[in-house]
Amino acid sequence: MTEPPVLEIRDLHVTFTAHGREIPAVRGVDLTIERGQTLALLGESGSGKSVTAKAVMGLLDQPNARVRCAAARLGGRDLLTMSADELRGLRGSAMTLVFQDALSALNPVLSVGDQLGELFRVHRGLSRRQARARSIELLDLVGIPAAARRVGDYPHQFSGGMRQRILIAMAVALEPDLIIADEPTTALDVTVQAQILELIDRLRRELGTAVLLITHDLGVAAEVSDRVAVMYAGRIVESGQAEELYDLPAHPYTGALLAAVPDLESPASELRAIPGAPPSPADVPPGCSFAPRCDRASELCASTRPPLRLLDTGSSRYAACHHSEEMLHGALA
Ligand code: ADP
Ligand code: MG
């Protein structure tokens, strides 16, 4: 019997209502991540990455947000039919979220040992003493020097990079099936960024965790991910194996992202300006959302939205573009 994917999301839609307008921030996203795999979700700011992450975590129960989805499964468990209580039980244990701002994610008035320890006491029923011992092990695992001495320190006593490590320790504490890391290194300097990515990658290998790594940094995505999904205006416009997609993009938006990065080897390679701006989610053009910025756009692109479809490359490569074949074959000709 084959193991079900750790995460399986089908046709996710998230629509906000603000000032009497509908804002379709996520418009039909599919995600599949296998055990021990990293999927990078890549895209410019505002493309719907964080909203996708929060919807998967079940964290969008605000009154102005409407979430719908054809299927949502975590390790085969159906998230859609689960009660709010069951879902809360999974959150923080079977699936965890690491975001950018470690300082605001950690409780300033509790020592890091108490925060970590609480997870073990609440979810695993460990005694205070056992929980403290596990906390020290974890701090050690994520590379906090002198963990046994520092377990009683408070978040503000750690550097930004060390705080991010502590957040990751909390995220892996209960050995989740899935970690969603939303721009986990954006606030950190380049050297520390590399260390944090290395840490997430090592934990993935050692613990077999599946990782959804959200980033606007192509370099980051290239370094640690198996597959990449490129998001534009609330939809995935291309996905495939990281190397293949970087070698030969099948969507002009992916091509533009790559062209905007002068050097993939340089870890600071953030997305540079692509001419034009993404559409406002409240005002997406008919046809292909990228058409107004695309130098390949034809009349068909302006009128008819290209669906995300499997390309004939022999690998599992998907793109939503009327010109994908041209892009692939043009490059090979
Ligand atoms: P990113 O890809 O940068 O993470 P987000 O997922 O945060 O983008 O946002 C996608 C779109 O959804 C943005 O246009 C944002 O303005 C909109 N959005 C996010 N949260 C809300 C909200 N609570 N109410 C209204 N619009 C929102
Ligand atoms: Mg975001």
Side-chain angles (χ1 to χ4, degrees):
M1 218 182 82
T2 55
E3 215 181 335
V6 170
L7 182 70
E8 217 181 342
I9 300 289
R10 292 285 156 262
D11 203 26
L12 173 69
H13 290 257
V14 180
T15 306
F16 295 103
T17 317
H19 313 292
R21 291 193 78 180
E22 299 258 292
I23 304 168
V26 176
R27 303 181 298 155
V29 161
D30 291 349
L31 296 170
T32 304
I33 313 179
E34 307 287 342
R35 190 175 145 75
Q37 225 191 30
T38 297
L39 173 72
L41 189 58
L42 188 71
E44 280 169 296
S45 174
S47 51
K49 306 181 299 295
S50 294
V51 170
T52 300
K54 285 184 200 145
V56 170
M57 290 290 294
L59 290 174
L60 278 178
D61 49 3
Q62 52 213 54
N64 78 326
R66 220 167 56 242
V67 181
R68 74 192 159 78
C69 190
R73 277 184 286 271
L74 183 74
R77 287 167 291 215
D78 189 348
L79 298 175
L80 295 181
T81 55
M82 219 170 251
S83 71
D85 270 353
E86 286 174 295
L87 197 57
R88 207 168 302 124
L90 288 186
R91 211 159 40 224
S93 59
M95 58 177 170
T96 57
L97 183 60
V98 176
F99 42 99
Q100 181 180 325
D101 185 2
L103 193 54
S104 70
L106 293 167
N107 186 334
V109 300
L110 283 182
S111 74
V112 299
D114 283 343
Q115 293 182 60
L116 271 166
E118 188 176 295
L119 290 172
F120 294 115
R121 289 192 288 117
V122 171
H123 290 270
R124 295 287 183 266
L126 298 194
S127 70
R128 193 167 276 279
R129 220 184 123 95
Q130 291 166 322
R132 186 182 165 86
R134 283 293 286 130
S135 302
I136 294 171
E137 278 173 34
L138 262 173
L139 290 175
D140 197 43
L141 175 75
V142 299
I144 304 286
R149 188 162 52 77
R150 303 222 54 192
V151 67
D153 286 353
Y154 290 82
H156 73 267
Q157 293 173 284
F158 293 86
S159 68
M162 287 295 154
R163 279 197 294 264
Q164 198 64 3
R165 285 173 190 265
I166 293 162
L167 209 58
I168 292 169
M170 295 188 69
V172 299
L174 303 173
E175 303 193 3
D177 300 326
L178 173 72
I179 300 178
I180 302 182
D182 190 353
E183 312 259 8
T185 62
T186 303
L188 306 172
D189 75 52
V190 170
T191 321
V192 182
Q193 278 189 13
Q195 291 166 355
I196 296 293
L197 289 173
E198 166 54 30
L199 168 64
I200 294 175
D201 203 40
R202 177 165 61 81
L203 296 172
R204 173 191 64 81
R205 275 182 273 119
E206 286 174 8
L207 308 174
T209 319
V211 180
L212 176 61
L213 178 65
I214 297 179
T215 178
H216 61 272
D217 187 325
L218 271 164
V220 163
E223 218 161 297
V224 293
S225 53
D226 305 295
R227 288 183 66 84
V228 173
V230 179
M231 203 162 173
Y232 188 76
R235 289 199 177 97
I236 290 173
V237 295
E238 177 164 9
S239 70
Q241 299 296 326
E243 319 85 76
E244 283 185 32
L245 197 130
Y246 288 163
D247 261 4
L248 193 50
H251 195 291
Y253 179 59
T254 313
L257 290 180
L258 289 170
V261 177
D263 180 7
L264 258 188
E265 299 298 300
S266 130
S269 52
E270 293 201 352
L271 304 185
R272 298 293 154 80
I274 299 170
S280 148
D283 220 351
V284 172
C288 173
S289 309
F290 188 59
R293 300 170 80 185
C294 180
D295 52 16
R296 283 181 187 266
S298 53
E299 263 171 51
L300 179 64
C301 306
S303 63
T304 309
R305 181 168 73 81
L308 187 67
R309 62 196 166 85
L310 181 63
L311 301 179
D312 186 19
T313 56
S315 52
S316 56
R317 184 75 178 277
Y318 293 81
C321 174
H322 295 302
H323 299 282
S324 292
E325 278 72 18
E326 233 170 81
M327 288 189 70
L328 296 176
H329 300 142
L332 295 175

